[in-house]
PDB file of all heavy atoms in Angstrom:
ATOM      1  N   ALA W  64     121.495 110.924 297.761  1.00 98.00           N
ATOM      2  CA  ALA W  64     121.986 111.853 296.749  1.00 98.00           C
ATOM      3  C   ALA W  64     123.360 112.364 297.160  1.00 98.00           C
ATOM      4  O   ALA W  64     123.651 112.497 298.357  1.00 98.00           O
ATOM      5  CB  ALA W  64     121.017 113.016 296.572  1.00 98.00           C
ATOM      6  N   VAL W  65     124.181 112.650 296.175  1.00 98.00           N
ATOM      7  CA  VAL W  65     125.502 113.224 296.404  1.00 98.00           C
ATOM      8  C   VAL W  65     125.620 114.522 295.625  1.00 98.00           C
ATOM      9  O   VAL W  65     125.337 114.554 294.416  1.00 98.00           O
ATOM     10  CB  VAL W  65     126.621 112.252 295.970  1.00 98.00           C
ATOM     11  CG1 VAL W  65     127.995 112.941 296.062  1.00 98.00           C
ATOM     12  CG2 VAL W  65     126.602 110.993 296.824  1.00 98.00           C
ATOM     13  N   VAL W  66     126.023 115.582 296.319  1.00 98.00           N
ATOM     14  CA  VAL W  66     126.371 116.845 295.674  1.00 98.00           C
ATOM     15  C   VAL W  66     127.889 116.918 295.673  1.00 98.00           C
ATOM     16  O   VAL W  66     128.518 116.890 296.729  1.00 98.00           O
ATOM     17  CB  VAL W  66     125.794 118.052 296.434  1.00 98.00           C
ATOM     18  CG1 VAL W  66     126.124 119.352 295.695  1.00 98.00           C
ATOM     19  CG2 VAL W  66     124.295 117.910 296.628  1.00 98.00           C
ATOM     20  N   ALA W  67     128.482 116.988 294.482  1.00 98.00           N
ATOM     21  CA  ALA W  67     129.943 117.002 294.343  1.00 98.00           C
ATOM     22  C   ALA W  67     130.361 118.269 293.610  1.00 98.00           C
ATOM     23  O   ALA W  67     129.965 118.495 292.458  1.00 98.00           O
ATOM     24  CB  ALA W  67     130.421 115.769 293.599  1.00 98.00           C
ATOM     25  N   PHE W  68     131.181 119.082 294.279  1.00 98.00           N
ATOM     26  CA  PHE W  68     131.640 120.349 293.718  1.00 98.00           C
ATOM     27  C   PHE W  68     133.014 120.194 293.080  1.00 98.00           C
ATOM     28  O   PHE W  68     133.899 119.529 293.629  1.00 98.00           O
ATOM     29  CB  PHE W  68     131.716 121.419 294.813  1.00 98.00           C
ATOM     30  CG  PHE W  68     130.389 121.933 295.266  1.00 98.00           C
ATOM     31  CD1 PHE W  68     129.714 121.308 296.305  1.00 98.00           C
ATOM     32  CD2 PHE W  68     129.810 123.034 294.661  1.00 98.00           C
ATOM     33  CE1 PHE W  68     128.483 121.780 296.745  1.00 98.00           C
ATOM     34  CE2 PHE W  68     128.573 123.517 295.080  1.00 98.00           C
ATOM     35  CZ  PHE W  68     127.914 122.885 296.124  1.00 98.00           C
ATOM     36  N   ARG W  69     133.191 120.841 291.951  1.00 96.00           N
ATOM     37  CA  ARG W  69     134.459 120.820 291.232  1.00 96.00           C
ATOM     38  C   ARG W  69     135.420 121.848 291.817  1.00 96.00           C
ATOM     39  O   ARG W  69     135.033 122.937 292.228  1.00 96.00           O
ATOM     40  CB  ARG W  69     134.199 121.143 289.761  1.00 96.00           C
ATOM     41  CG  ARG W  69     135.424 121.125 288.880  1.00 96.00           C
ATOM     42  CD  ARG W  69     135.011 121.326 287.430  1.00 96.00           C
ATOM     43  NE  ARG W  69     136.138 121.273 286.531  1.00 96.00           N
ATOM     44  CZ  ARG W  69     136.031 121.117 285.213  1.00 96.00           C
ATOM     45  NH1 ARG W  69     134.843 121.010 284.660  1.00 96.00           N
ATOM     46  NH2 ARG W  69     137.114 121.080 284.448  1.00 96.00           N
ATOM     47  N   GLY W  70     136.714 121.499 291.842  1.00 91.00           N
ATOM     48  CA  GLY W  70     137.738 122.421 292.291  1.00 91.00           C
ATOM     49  C   GLY W  70     138.191 123.356 291.189  1.00 91.00           C
ATOM     50  O   GLY W  70     137.604 123.411 290.104  1.00 91.00           O
ATOM     51  N   SER W  71     139.254 124.102 291.452  1.00 78.00           N
ATOM     52  CA  SER W  71     139.751 125.103 290.508  1.00 78.00           C
ATOM     53  C   SER W  71     140.196 124.458 289.201  1.00 78.00           C
ATOM     54  O   SER W  71     140.833 123.410 289.202  1.00 78.00           O
ATOM     55  CB  SER W  71     140.929 125.866 291.112  1.00 78.00           C
ATOM     56  OG  SER W  71     140.539 126.503 292.306  1.00 78.00           O
ATOM     57  N   GLU W  72     139.872 125.115 288.109  1.00 67.00           N
ATOM     58  CA  GLU W  72     140.284 124.639 286.800  1.00 67.00           C
ATOM     59  C   GLU W  72     141.665 125.191 286.451  1.00 67.00           C
ATOM     60  O   GLU W  72     141.935 126.374 286.636  1.00 67.00           O
ATOM     61  CB  GLU W  72     139.277 125.066 285.740  1.00 67.00           C
ATOM     62  CG  GLU W  72     137.912 124.438 285.947  1.00 67.00           C
ATOM     63  CD  GLU W  72     136.935 124.843 284.873  1.00 67.00           C
ATOM     64  OE1 GLU W  72     136.916 124.217 283.811  1.00 67.00           O
ATOM     65  OE2 GLU W  72     136.174 125.793 285.106  1.00 67.00           O
TER      66      GLU W  72
END
Side-chain angles (χ1 to χ4, degrees):
V65 173
V66 183
F68 286 89
R69 181 175 182 164
S71 301
E72 296 181 85

